[in-house]
Amino acid sequence: MRYEGRNIVLTGGTRGLGRAMALAYLREGARVHATYAGNEEGAEALRQEAGDMLERLYLHKFDVSDHGACQAFWNDLESVPISALINNAGLRRDGLLATMNPTEWQQVMDTNLSGGFYMSKFGVLNMMRQRYGRILFVTSPAGRVGFAGQGNYSASKAGQVGLMRSLSKEVARKNITVNCVSPGFIDTELIADLSPELKAEYKTQVPMRRFGKPEEVANAAMFLTSEEASYINGAVLEVTGGL
């Protein structure tokens, strides 16, 4: 129960990696404030899975790409000391750069990068009042190596790393750390639309010859947001199977 009595904010917290992290923090005793944009089916499934931990799960429906909605969310939590913020909300709109329309570019940047900026902006103010906090961005190796057909996604993920490193220097003296966890190919809905042939090709690129499990990413996230990780700041922890 490492997180007993702790309050955690987790964006995109009802499906995929977010669902795995929400359940992991709940099992460790945390009160989890999980956000989601609109998938009620995913939210209800998480409620059911939480079981007797449901009383410590709080679901908040809003779009993290909306600055005003993020501000309203944090205003509601003004009196709640937040120990950790995990910026996990993200989406893909794949396409070749030459044929990508501006909407596909902007949607990905708004959610993946601007959403993390908005949530961190207000989260920092909450954490500064208690002079403690952990902020974690869920980035991707795509931001480091790039993948064909994912120019928008790769750019947003590279931007997260730059944002994290700048913020980590701004708030370190307030006992707030800021880091990234960088999952590789993880078996979630985010890659469910890939063809079997493409999945097989990607697996050959991973030295462990398999995709990761969401729980393996959750374990890394929980370490980086723990008290034990007090001297890890401005770092990117890759969970990629050696990719």
Side-chain angles (χ1 to χ4, degrees):
M1 303 292 281
R2 287 182 295 165
Y3 284 88
E4 188 170 9
R6 298 280 188 179
N7 294 287
I8 308 297
V9 171
L10 170 62
T11 68
T14 61
R15 295 189 298 159
L17 288 179
R19 169 193 157 278
M21 287 189 281
L23 292 171
Y25 280 107
L26 286 170
R27 293 186 188 108
E28 290 289 341
R31 291 185 289 268
V32 176
H33 294 266
T35 82
Y36 69 107
N39 188 313
E40 296 292 352
E41 184 178 347
E44 182 56 32
L46 179 60
R47 288 190 188 96
Q48 295 297 324
E49 197 161 2
D52 58 5
M53 302 181 292
L54 183 60
E55 63 181 13
R56 290 185 281 108
L57 174 64
Y58 307 88
L59 297 181
H60 306 264
K61 181 181 177 180
F62 69 95
D63 189 341
V64 296
S65 69
D66 183 333
H67 180 272
C70 294
Q71 185 173 22
F73 167 79
W74 283 101
N75 285 344
D76 288 343
L77 293 182
E78 185 175 7
S79 62
V80 180
I82 300 300
S83 295
L85 161 65
I86 299 96
N87 289 304
N88 171 67
L91 54 82
R92 286 176 34 233
R93 296 287 185 268
D94 294 353
L96 297 176
L97 195 68
T99 58
M100 183 180 294
N101 66 56
T103 299
E104 292 169 331
W105 170 272
Q106 201 60 52
Q107 285 178 336
V108 172
M109 298 301 287
D110 286 347
T111 297
N112 298 5
L113 185 54
S114 295
F117 159 60
Y118 299 151
M119 291 297 289
S120 299
K121 171 185 175 180
F122 297 113
V124 160
L125 297 176
N126 179 293
M127 294 173 181
M128 287 177 69
R129 287 194 291 269
Q130 53 185 315
R131 297 186 68 85
Y132 177 87
R134 303 281 186 263
I135 297 176
L136 186 66
F137 290 85
V138 180
T139 186
S140 166
R144 173 174 54 83
V145 301
F147 291 109
Q150 292 189 339
N152 48 3
Y153 185 76
S154 297
S156 71
K157 293 302 179 178
Q160 287 178 331
V161 176
L163 174 60
M164 173 275 291
R165 289 193 166 132
S166 291
L167 183 57
S168 70
K169 292 174 172 61
E170 295 176 2
V171 299
R173 294 182 64 181
K174 300 295 185 181
N175 198 28
I176 301 170
T177 66
V178 192
N179 294 288
C180 283
V181 62
S182 181
F185 295 110
I186 308 299
D187 197 6
T188 69
E189 295 95 331
L190 193 65
I191 63 170
D193 61 342
L194 298 179
S195 68
E197 294 78 17
L198 194 55
K199 287 182 179 181
E201 179 184 341
Y202 284 154
K203 282 183 181 179
T204 66
Q205 299 176 24
V206 181
M208 296 186 75
R209 293 296 189 271
R210 68 173 177 87
F211 290 160
K213 302 173 184 177
E215 293 75 17
E216 292 172 313
V217 180
N219 290 336
M222 284 201 299
F223 169 67
L224 288 174
T225 59
S226 70
E227 292 187 27
E228 290 82 0
S230 57
Y231 202 58
I232 301 175
N233 191 40
V236 179
L237 174 59
E238 295 205 347
V239 186
T240 66
L243 185 67

